[in-house]
Amino acid sequence: MSPDEMKPDGIKEAKPLWHGRFSEGPSDELMRFTESLSFDERLAGDDIAGSRAHVRMLARVGLLTKEEEKAILAALDRVEAELTDGTFGFEPSDEDIHTAVERRVTELAGDAGAKLHTGRSRNDQVALDLRLYLRREGRAVAQRIHGLQDVLLRRAGEAETVYLPGYTHLQRAQPVLLGHHLLAHFWALARDVERWRELLDRADVSPLGAGALAGSSLPLDPDFVAAELGFARRFENSLDAVSDRDFVAEALFAAALTQVHLSRMGEEIVLWSSDEFGFLVLSDAYATGSSMLPQKRNPDVAELARGSAGRLIGHLTGLLATLKGLPLAYNRDLQGDKEPLFDALDTCGRALVALTGLLATAEFVPERMQAAADVPASAAADLAELLVEAGVPFREAHAAIGSLVRQAAERGVPLEELVMTEPRLGPDALAVLEPGQAVQRRTTPGGAGPKPLKRQLTEARGRLKEQRGWLGR
Ligand code: ARG
């Protein structure tokens, strides 16, 4: 061991892969600050998959012999096994998962292993790994969105004639069927699935072969690598290939928006499960207790779904801020793309599964919902529309019914009584005020009544089926 391989205390100094140009090893502080192994270890499987494709390509174009190819592939198998069963020994010099895998392959396959990185840079390698990760995990998130839609649709179908107040400004506005309300969330999630699908299509580009930034003098075949890894296409421009993180930004946006949808559902679950609303009772498995107040059953799942949306929005804005000042091509700032992406997909995925379970097991309380909806004033729009049918201009009808509602409130007289004093309203008017009648009158396409809801349920079932085609279930 040469003196410059010895630390002052006699410990063997670890050499980074790029040691050739340097006469002195890196400081501990540098290693601790610049390493990414602590969070990119989870890319190991993708890194190995990328290396296998790269090695096959190198052999195909004559840069590796058959024997060398076999030796490296066998070493990669062994590294994969060691990483899976936890026997892989990381070294202090392993900056990131790429260097760790390459170091071990070289230990196992000797001179052949030292050829693994031929024509490749960690810059195109890491971009590849992250795209492979996103392809798998993005689809998994989409699958979980689909699972939540499935439960919403099932519960909407079961809700049959149950209705509740629809709100604007959180003030009771017009009654809606519970199924209609649940499907409103279904369609927001349907757009999320579509969004994930589109962004994963755009991300379906192999960057391998871009090298550090400019390609290579060696006869590499990026198309072969792309096909080998199942990508739709390869990069068009090597500078773009290594500096592009649009796919991460798009995934962070899709995750943030999905989480915003979960947050809005979460907010309703919190409201609905309060004593004040009493529309929803959480199952024990999806409610939490209080450490001090024995009577409490709290909607923590819904609150965490709501709260995490803030963090995911932060991940998106954080990455965009990181990207905005970067000159082409790779800059180490880009290493910061991974933690937000991993956290966004992990968090969103877990929230989806938890909310799916919560909604599958929660109990709706139709009596409370319907009692809240059956206040006569929530049929005010229907009374005005009856006048419109009788030829009264809408603005005038609005004023007439508004005045009846005001008098009812001021004089403490039931609206039903006052309605009979309006000569332009026929006997239909009283029927409209009967409990549960107003929602029956929502008949227009996409509306909140039974007739349009039946069609909507069919559409929603069709949409889920279509999604399953893409999700491969
Ligand atoms: N750990 C790095 C990252 O995550 C890998 C690429 C490093 N490339 C480099 N030239 N230092 O981005």
Side-chain angles (χ1 to χ4, degrees):
M1 196 180 295
S2 68
D4 74 358
E5 285 179 87
M6 301 288 287
K7 285 199 166 181
D9 58 4
I11 297 170
K12 182 179 178 293
E13 186 168 284
K15 273 192 199 159
L17 287 175
W18 33 260
H19 66 92
R21 169 71 177 76
F22 293 76
S23 56
E24 199 187 353
S27 69
D28 290 348
E29 291 73 18
L30 177 140
M31 285 303 281
R32 266 198 294 275
F33 184 55
T34 60
E35 68 84 26
S36 55
L37 184 62
S38 52
F39 51 87
D40 66 16
E41 197 192 325
R42 65 189 288 177
L43 293 175
D46 300 308
D47 199 70
I48 289 168
S51 286
R52 285 193 180 114
H54 182 65
V55 165
R56 288 193 192 106
M57 182 276 292
L58 291 177
R60 216 176 107 93
V61 302
L63 288 166
L64 290 177
T65 65
K66 265 278 151 216
E67 293 66 49
E68 288 170 330
E69 178 190 18
K70 260 182 76 181
I72 304 175
L73 289 175
L76 283 167
D77 288 347
R78 169 90 181 267
V79 169
E80 186 174 49
E82 288 177 356
L83 282 161
T84 311
D85 65 23
T87 55
F88 187 97
F90 287 102
E91 296 285 341
S93 60
D94 295 339
E95 263 184 77
D96 51 29
I97 190 62
H98 326 295
T99 53
V101 170
E102 188 190 336
R103 172 192 53 78
R104 184 69 184 131
V105 165
T106 309
E107 283 168 12
L108 292 167
D111 287 347
K115 293 188 172 185
L116 166 61
H117 211 51
T118 307
R120 186 175 72 171
S121 156
R122 278 183 296 159
N123 300 352
D124 55 350
Q125 189 179 0
V126 72
L128 173 76
D129 291 5
L130 207 54
R131 284 177 190 266
L132 288 172
Y133 159 86
L134 181 63
R135 179 167 83 182
R136 181 182 58 256
E137 298 299 326
R139 177 175 288 255
V141 169
Q143 241 142 14
R144 288 172 170 192
I145 299 172
H146 180 90
L148 177 53
Q149 288 176 280
D150 204 37
V151 166
L152 284 166
L153 178 57
R154 183 165 60 71
R155 303 245 35 190
E158 290 164 3
E160 299 191 339
T161 59
V162 176
Y163 57 92
L164 74 160
Y167 296 84
T168 62
H169 314 271
L170 201 57
Q171 309 286 321
R172 283 175 224 172
Q174 283 184 298
V176 297
L177 285 174
L178 174 59
H180 187 66
H181 188 110
L182 295 174
L183 287 189
H185 292 301
F186 173 98
W187 292 113
L189 296 171
R191 290 191 296 276
D192 288 330
V193 169
E194 214 173 281
R195 194 170 292 112
W196 279 101
R197 181 180 181 166
E198 288 165 2
L199 82 88
L200 291 176
D201 275 353
R202 265 191 299 280
D204 198 2
V205 179
S206 170
L208 205 67
L213 77 164
S216 174
S217 62
L218 300 168
L220 307 178
D221 186 350
D223 287 305
F224 174 84
V225 173
E228 187 77 6
L229 290 167
F231 280 102
R233 52 206 173 274
R234 64 151 167 88
F235 64 97
E236 293 293 344
N237 179 305
S238 61
L239 289 171
D240 185 41
V242 290
S243 64
D244 170 23
R245 291 295 182 277
D246 291 3
F247 64 102
V248 181
E250 286 199 54
L252 289 178
F253 173 67
L257 189 52
T258 302
Q259 194 70 35
V260 163
H261 292 147
L262 302 185
S263 175
R264 296 182 72 173
M265 289 174 65
E267 170 65 8
E268 280 186 352
I269 290 164
V270 171
L271 287 173
W272 286 17
S273 61
S274 70
D275 286 338
E276 283 67 18
F277 276 79
F279 290 180
L280 187 74
V281 179
L282 301 179
S283 68
D284 277 352
Y286 288 92
T288 44
S290 156
S291 60
M292 180 175 165
L293 310 173
Q295 83 282 13
K296 293 301 291 290
R297 291 178 84 257
N298 293 328
D300 289 33
V301 167
E303 292 168 297
L304 284 168
R306 184 177 62 186
S308 328
R311 201 171 73 248
L312 267 58
I313 293 166
H315 288 333
L316 171 63
T317 55
L319 181 81
L320 291 175
T322 299
L323 294 180
K324 74 175 272 296
L326 297 186
L328 295 175
Y330 179 86
N331 298 273
R332 193 64 177 267
D333 315 46
L334 292 175
Q335 180 164 288
D337 57 3
K338 286 165 213 64
E339 289 159 295
L341 183 66
F342 296 160
D343 180 57
L345 269 57
D346 289 346
T347 303
C348 190
R350 280 196 284 262
L352 281 161
V353 175
L355 276 182
T356 302
L358 181 150
L359 280 169
T361 57
E363 227 180 90
F364 294 114
V365 189
E367 314 80 66
R368 294 277 303 198
M369 293 181 167
Q370 295 180 176
D374 279 335
V375 290
S378 61
D382 294 286
L383 293 174
E385 283 173 9
L386 278 181
L387 287 179
V388 167
E389 280 173 34
V392 181
F394 175 71
R395 196 42 69 205
E396 199 183 319
H398 183 284
I401 303 300
S403 152
L404 292 183
V405 173
R406 176 168 49 79
Q407 290 174 55
E410 279 172 9
R411 294 164 40 197
V413 183
L415 185 64
E416 294 89 320
E417 270 179 38
L418 293 175
V419 158
M420 291 191 291
T421 66
E422 167 56 62
R424 290 170 296 181
L425 282 172
D428 287 358
L430 283 184
V432 166
L433 295 177
E434 287 294 311
Q437 281 315 296
V439 76
Q440 300 292 329
R441 299 173 56 84
R442 302 279 84 77
T443 49
T444 45
K451 220 180 98 197
L453 177 58
K454 206 169 153 224
R455 282 181 57 182
Q456 196 188 155
L457 284 164
T458 309
E459 286 297 320
R461 284 188 197 104
R463 179 62 73 93
L464 276 192
K465 209 173 141 203
E466 203 179 288
Q467 287 177 0
R468 272 194 290 275
W470 172 61
L471 291 166
R473 276 205 216 159

